[in-house]
């Protein structure tokens, strides 16, 4: 009986998650002329390619997608590298007060990001980082490190201590141990952390509209928000078609790395 109830709950939750996606697909496919003004539950016309073309030209999505791809890939890779170094030190090296270091780094996820907006804006304006690609990468690396550290540190504590001790007895330095033992064993966790942060950076809107204004700097979500600002001019189907295009890269990267993602979750349970 409990299994039946559990399966029903899972199906219900899956349906609740699927309804917004279904409406996005149906209304994104609908042509602007066939849109009635309220959400359609069934497609009554087909205008997907025309909607995508209108969204692409109106919001200049091409450069914005290239910017987000650059921000997501570079900042996520840098964050995973730094987080793996921190996780190795906090979980494997004989450092004092490991719990303190853990909470000091992971504590970056406990505060809402809105708290940092004013000091960040002022600091960026005073240092010349405002509305620059370097400035966007810096903030994305900073906000991506805590969660990546959480994933990698939890993986590091599951590694057999005998492996570390054997490498140390063979004369391996800590750097050699990190490079030749920890990194190969942690590939699945590193890929999972990279996917998490790639999706988070790609979907960011808050810093995209706060720390960048130029079209050649702003990320894709800021461009999509600009398209929605022109709501009355392009119509909801164009906005939704643009959202479909914007969501594709994150879906692709998730499915390409699904094997690493699932194996890492199993190891951290």
């Amino acid at each position: 009986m409990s299994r039946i109830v559990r399966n029903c709950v899972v199906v219900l939750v899956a349906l609740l998650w699927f309804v917004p996606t279904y409406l996005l697909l149906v209304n994104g496919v609908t042509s602007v002329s066939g849109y009635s003004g309220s959400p359609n539950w069934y497609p009554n016309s087909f205008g997907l390619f025309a909607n995508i073309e209108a969204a692409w030209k109106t919001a200049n999505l091409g450069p914005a997608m290239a910017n987000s791809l650059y921000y997501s890939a570079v900042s996520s890779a840098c964050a995973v590298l730094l987080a793996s170094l921190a996780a190795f030190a906090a979980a494997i090296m004989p450092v004092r007060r490991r719990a303190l270091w853990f909470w000091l780094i992971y504590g970056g996820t406990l505060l809402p990001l809105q708290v940092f907006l004013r000091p960040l804006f002022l600091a960026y304006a005073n240092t010349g980082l405002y509305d620059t690609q370097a400035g966007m990468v810096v903030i994305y690396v900073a906000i991506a490190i805590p969660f990546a550290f959480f994933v990698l540190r939890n993986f590091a504590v599951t590694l057999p201590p005998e492996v570390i001790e054997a490498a140390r007895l063979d004369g391996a330095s800590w750097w050699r141990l990190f490079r030749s033992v920890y990194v190969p064993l942690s590939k699945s966790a590193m890929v999972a952390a990279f996917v998490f942060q790639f999706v988070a950076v790609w979907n960011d809107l808050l810093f995209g509209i706060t720390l960048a204004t130029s079209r050649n700097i702003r990320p894709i979500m800021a461009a999509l928000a600009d398209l929605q600002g022109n709501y009355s001019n392009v119509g909801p189907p164009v906005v939704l078609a643009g959202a479909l295009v914007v969501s594709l890269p994150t879906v692709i990267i998730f499915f390409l790395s699904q094997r690493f993602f699932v194996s890492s979750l199993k190891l951290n349970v």
Side-chain angles (χ1 to χ4, degrees):
M1 185 66 181
S2 61
R3 184 176 181 180
I4 296 176
V5 173
R6 182 185 61 186
N7 291 340
C8 290
V9 171
V10 171
V11 171
L12 179 61
V13 172
L15 288 175
L16 290 175
W17 276 98
F18 178 72
V19 167
T21 305
Y22 173 78
L23 290 175
L24 173 66
L25 290 170
V26 169
N27 292 276
V29 167
T30 303
S31 64
V32 176
S33 59
Y35 187 74
S36 61
S38 59
N40 295 329
W41 286 93
Y42 303 99
N44 55 16
S45 58
F46 185 81
L48 177 62
F49 299 116
N51 293 341
I52 291 176
E53 182 180 3
W56 193 272
K57 292 181 178 179
T58 303
N60 200 23
L61 294 182
M65 288 187 74
N67 288 335
S68 279
L69 182 61
Y70 172 72
Y71 299 148
S72 300
V74 173
S75 60
S76 298
C78 292
V80 168
L81 175 60
L82 295 174
S84 63
L85 290 168
F88 178 79
I92 295 178
M93 294 181 67
V95 297
R96 299 177 62 185
R97 298 183 177 88
R98 291 184 176 183
L100 175 62
W101 286 110
F102 170 77
W103 285 109
L104 185 65
I105 299 174
Y106 181 65
T109 63
L110 302 180
L111 294 175
L113 296 178
Q114 290 83 351
V115 172
F116 307 111
L117 287 182
R118 177 176 171 78
L120 271 175
F121 179 83
L122 296 176
Y124 269 48
N126 293 331
T127 57
L129 288 174
Y130 181 77
D131 200 26
T132 63
Q133 288 187 329
M136 299 302 295
V137 170
V138 167
I139 184 58
Y140 286 141
V141 170
I143 64 174
I145 285 176
F147 185 78
F149 169 76
F150 174 77
V151 173
L152 294 169
R153 182 261 182 189
N154 283 357
F155 180 87
V157 297
T158 65
L159 295 178
E162 294 81 7
V163 176
I164 308 301
E165 293 172 3
R168 291 294 290 168
L169 289 174
D170 288 340
S173 63
W174 288 114
W175 171 246
R176 178 65 182 275
L177 187 60
F178 171 80
R179 186 185 63 201
S180 302
V181 178
Y182 176 78
V183 171
L185 293 176
S186 305
K187 282 184 179 179
S188 59
M190 294 175 74
V191 173
F194 177 86
V195 172
F196 271 121
Q197 301 314 316
F198 185 98
V199 173
V201 173
W202 183 274
N203 290 331
D204 172 71
L205 174 63
L206 183 64
F207 294 112
I209 61 176
T210 305
L211 302 178
T213 56
S214 302
R215 282 200 164 191
N216 61 330
I217 302 296
R218 66 182 183 177
I220 186 63
M221 289 303 165
L224 191 63
D226 183 58
L227 178 65
Q228 191 170 5
N230 297 324
Y231 191 89
S232 59
N233 296 328
V234 298
V238 175
V239 177
L240 296 176
L244 282 174
V245 174
V246 166
S247 64
L248 287 178
T250 56
V251 174
I252 292 171
I253 192 172
F254 176 79
F255 280 106
L256 288 177
S257 57
Q258 186 177 14
R259 177 169 62 88
F260 297 97
F261 182 79
V262 173
S263 63
S264 177
L265 285 181
K266 289 180 180 178
L267 289 169
N268 282 281
V269 171

